[in-house]
Amino acid sequence: MSVGLLTVAALCGGLVGAAAPTFANRFTTDRSATGRWTVGWVVVGALVFAGLAAALGPDPALPAYLLVAAFGVVLAVVDLACLRLPDPLVGAAALGGVAGLGVAALAAGTPGRLAVAVAGAALSFSGYVLLALLPGARLGFGDVKLAAALGLPLGWQGWPTLGYGLLLPHLLNGVLVLALLAARRVRRDTALPFGPALLAGAWLAVLLA
């Protein structure tokens, strides 16, 4: 793995993390919430981008993953601030993923791989729709749409990666909820964002691929 690629990716991710609260302000009225932990978002952005660069290397699909990740960082800021996953951001992530992976498929001469990625997005969407419709489910349709957008790059990596990407968010969220309950920071009926768990689970799934 090129140290130069990792360095550039980490720097770009840090810049995305630094800018994320400003972009998030367009989608929430609570600017004080999005402005918290700005340094933390710089670290998150750098880590996310560097991890993807390490996992994928100089793959033609890397720019698509970084583009989805950039919108993902902003979505995480918004969801943590106001429990929303705005359609414009989710849609931009999905369109960026489709365009980037389409270019990668043409460059690599593997158009069939894009079809598998689209199938992964459809499967992820269908699965989360079913979960959202279950009695007592706390998933919103913003979560469903984000799952579909993330299913595209996960499907590109293959079915095992898609499976990890569908499972890991629930494990991560479950551990977090139990920890918060144990620390008495939340109650059983407290509404918590699920978008960050979706994004973190997808990122880890790519790293494990």
Side-chain angles (χ1 to χ4, degrees):
M1 169 52 56
S2 168
V3 174
L5 178 61
L6 285 177
T7 301
V8 170
L11 288 173
C12 290
L15 291 174
V16 167
T22 300
F23 282 101
N25 283 339
R26 301 182 180 184
F27 301 95
T28 175
T29 56
D30 188 359
R31 297 193 173 189
S32 63
T34 57
R36 297 171 191 162
W37 317 302
T38 300
V39 174
W41 288 116
V42 172
V43 174
V44 168
L47 181 62
V48 168
F49 272 50
L52 291 173
L56 299 173
D59 191 298
L62 178 60
Y65 282 77
L66 296 181
L67 183 58
V68 173
F71 285 109
V73 173
V74 180
L75 281 163
V77 176
V78 176
D79 203 16
L80 286 168
C82 61
L83 300 175
R84 288 184 61 230
L85 292 169
D87 286 345
L89 288 175
V90 176
L95 289 175
V98 170
L101 293 178
V103 171
L106 290 175
T110 56
R113 195 170 179 183
L114 182 60
V116 175
V118 172
L123 180 61
S124 184
F125 177 78
S126 301
Y128 272 85
V129 165
L130 293 175
L131 288 176
L133 293 176
L134 289 175
R138 294 190 177 184
L139 287 177
F141 274 86
D143 299 315
V144 172
K145 289 177 242 184
L146 178 58
L150 296 176
L152 188 76
L154 290 171
W156 177 271
Q157 291 295 105
W159 299 117
T161 303
L162 179 64
Y164 283 126
L166 293 175
L167 176 64
L168 284 171
H170 298 281
L171 293 178
L172 293 173
N173 191 64
V175 170
L176 175 62
V177 169
L178 288 175
L180 291 174
L181 285 171
R184 297 185 178 180
R185 298 291 300 274
V186 299
R187 298 183 303 180
R188 291 183 180 274
D189 59 349
T190 301
L192 295 173
F194 189 66
L198 275 171
L199 293 159
W203 179 71
L204 286 174
V206 173
L207 266 58
L208 292 171

